[in-house]
Amino acid sequence: MQRHFDDELAGLQQTLLAMGGLVEDQIRRAMRALTERDDALAQDVIDRDRQVNAYDVEVDEKSVELLALHQPAAGDLRFITTIMKVVTDLERIGDQAVNIAQRALELNQEPQLKPYIDLPRMAERAQRMVKESLDAFVGRDTQLARQVCAEDAEVDSLKEQIFRELLTYMMSDPKTIPRAIRLILISRFLERVADHATNIAEMVIYMVESKMVRHSLA
Amino acid sequence: MADGIRITRLNAWFGPRQVLRDIDLAVVPRSVTAIIGPSGCGKSTCVRCINRMHEVVPGARVAGRVELNGEDLYAPGADPVEVRRRIGMVFQKPNPFPTMSIFDNVAAGLRLAGVRNRAALHEAVERALHHAALWDEVKDELGKSGAGLSGGQQQRLCIARALAVEPEVLLMDEPCSALDPIATAKIEELIMELRKELTIVIVTHNMQQAARVSEWTAYFLLGELIEFGPTRGLFTSPRDSRTEDYVTGRFG
């Protein structure tokens, strides 16, 4: 039986995906603001966070409405509860984009410490994880979701590598410390982006298989 | 497990039409088990087989085993009247005896069982009305007709009547479908109190009600038991796609 409720659920998913697209773009643009030393672009990322927050509220309100009016069960229930968690992770990824943009604005005040190689690579990995986690959500693809969870380790090790490298700068010349710390922070923000993508992937596994894989359960 | 109700390979017919097929179901004592399913799935017939009410319909037939605490309720020597005393039943439409007072309605089963002592009757009636959460509302008008009560009160009167003979099991066949939401909520609260002492099986069309009051849920379809398990699991992660279709409203 075709249900009107299915249209409501499809609409909710559309809004979530629009938000996902915006958030991915925010990370991409924040990184460009850093590598191209573009203050205007950084400011634009900061300003656009309002749109991300508006999506966050919209998805949450719509989800609560569907829970209240339709009392969904089983797969429908897992779909909506998953969306309510995913939207929080997306909103926080958006916050990380703002954090990166703010550090970029500060870094742009001073000469560039070093060529950025590992940070863009790390950003590219983290962004790919976000995209894949949302693709897994849309396609109910738990294999892809599990792949996202596995990719998190790569991002973590890139962060460690960046930290060690910047440590050598700081030890050899204390004047580099403010810039190095900001770059370390950016690597930390990107690592958090990957963590949020992992959370989304884990919720996809729950949604499809009813299995809780968070915190290494199951 | 010898305790509780154990149904084994239960089959039932109305004339040539088979309405239950090979039902196996173990009801946990002192818990609420909900039976859900679309109209005609056999859920009412199933509970009517538990207290031997199905066989009173002309042309109806039962095969299989139903045990209560290890005793075969269909054994050759088993007395259907005694089975119905141990396994009480409440129906969709409140059906107090219309010509009887509130008191006499509750006392009816006890009198039938031969209790004549006035003090004993009074004590049992008061206890049953307390149990059914009706005492405070009717204690000053026990002599009035039960038919003058509201629908929800009448249903609780029927529950009191069933409880008066101290059954071990209470079967409820759509007990709230004729009641408004407030009367329904009262019955549901009552069910949650009663389950501490009684084994309850409730047939309901209202899935939210099954989700709210029961610990175990059985889903019936076309005379077969499709899925049985903890209510929480059945409503969050059903194992069978037919159960999923039903609880999400895709069915039919």
Side-chain angles (χ1 to χ4, degrees), chain B residues 31-35 172 175-176 184-193 195 200-204 206-217 231 235:
Chain B
S31 72
V32 180
T33 298
I35 302 183
M172 307 180 99
C176 300
T184 298
K186 280 189 184 160
I187 300 278
E188 289 182 3
E189 284 301 317
L190 179 57
I191 289 170
M192 291 195 253
E193 279 303 309
R195 73 178 175 199
I200 296 173
V201 181
I202 178 171
V203 169
T204 179
N206 181 333
M207 280 183 280
Q208 279 74 43
Q209 178 169 68
R212 281 193 298 266
V213 302
S214 75
E215 290 127 309
W216 299 86
T217 299
T231 299
F235 283 95

Side-chain angles (χ1 to χ4, degrees), chain A residues 18-131:
Chain A
M19 178 181 180
L22 174 61
V23 161
E24 282 176 51
D25 194 45
Q26 285 282 84
I27 295 288
R28 196 176 305 119
R29 285 153 56 103
M31 284 306 292
R32 235 176 64 212
L34 173 76
T35 54
E36 295 173 12
R37 301 174 64 80
D38 184 339
D39 281 358
L41 188 57
Q43 191 55 51
D44 190 43
V45 169
I46 293 165
D47 294 340
R48 277 215 302 181
D49 191 48
R50 246 193 250 148
Q51 284 180 45
V52 176
N53 293 342
Y55 272 127
D56 179 36
V57 171
E58 183 185 342
V59 170
D60 241 1
E61 284 182 342
K62 188 69 190 170
S63 300
V64 169
E65 180 195 312
L66 292 180
L67 288 177
L69 299 185
H70 296 269
Q71 289 125 39
D76 296 332
L77 179 64
R78 298 199 306 276
F79 180 78
I80 295 177
T81 50
T82 294
I83 281 188
M84 291 181 80
K85 301 201 82 154
V86 168
V87 76
T88 303
D89 281 304
L90 287 179
E91 192 271 331
R92 291 191 181 158
I93 292 172
D95 289 344
Q96 300 305 340
V98 170
N99 286 335
I100 293 168
Q102 286 170 340
R103 297 298 84 74
L105 280 176
E106 292 157 6
L107 284 160
N108 291 352
Q109 309 284 310
E110 295 183 63
Q112 192 163 338
L113 178 63
K114 63 182 278 297
Y116 301 138
I117 298 159
D118 286 329
L119 273 178
R121 189 189 298 162
M122 195 179 167
E124 187 264 319
R125 296 275 161 86
Q127 276 172 63
R128 193 173 65 206
M129 286 172 66
V130 175
K131 182 178 185 311

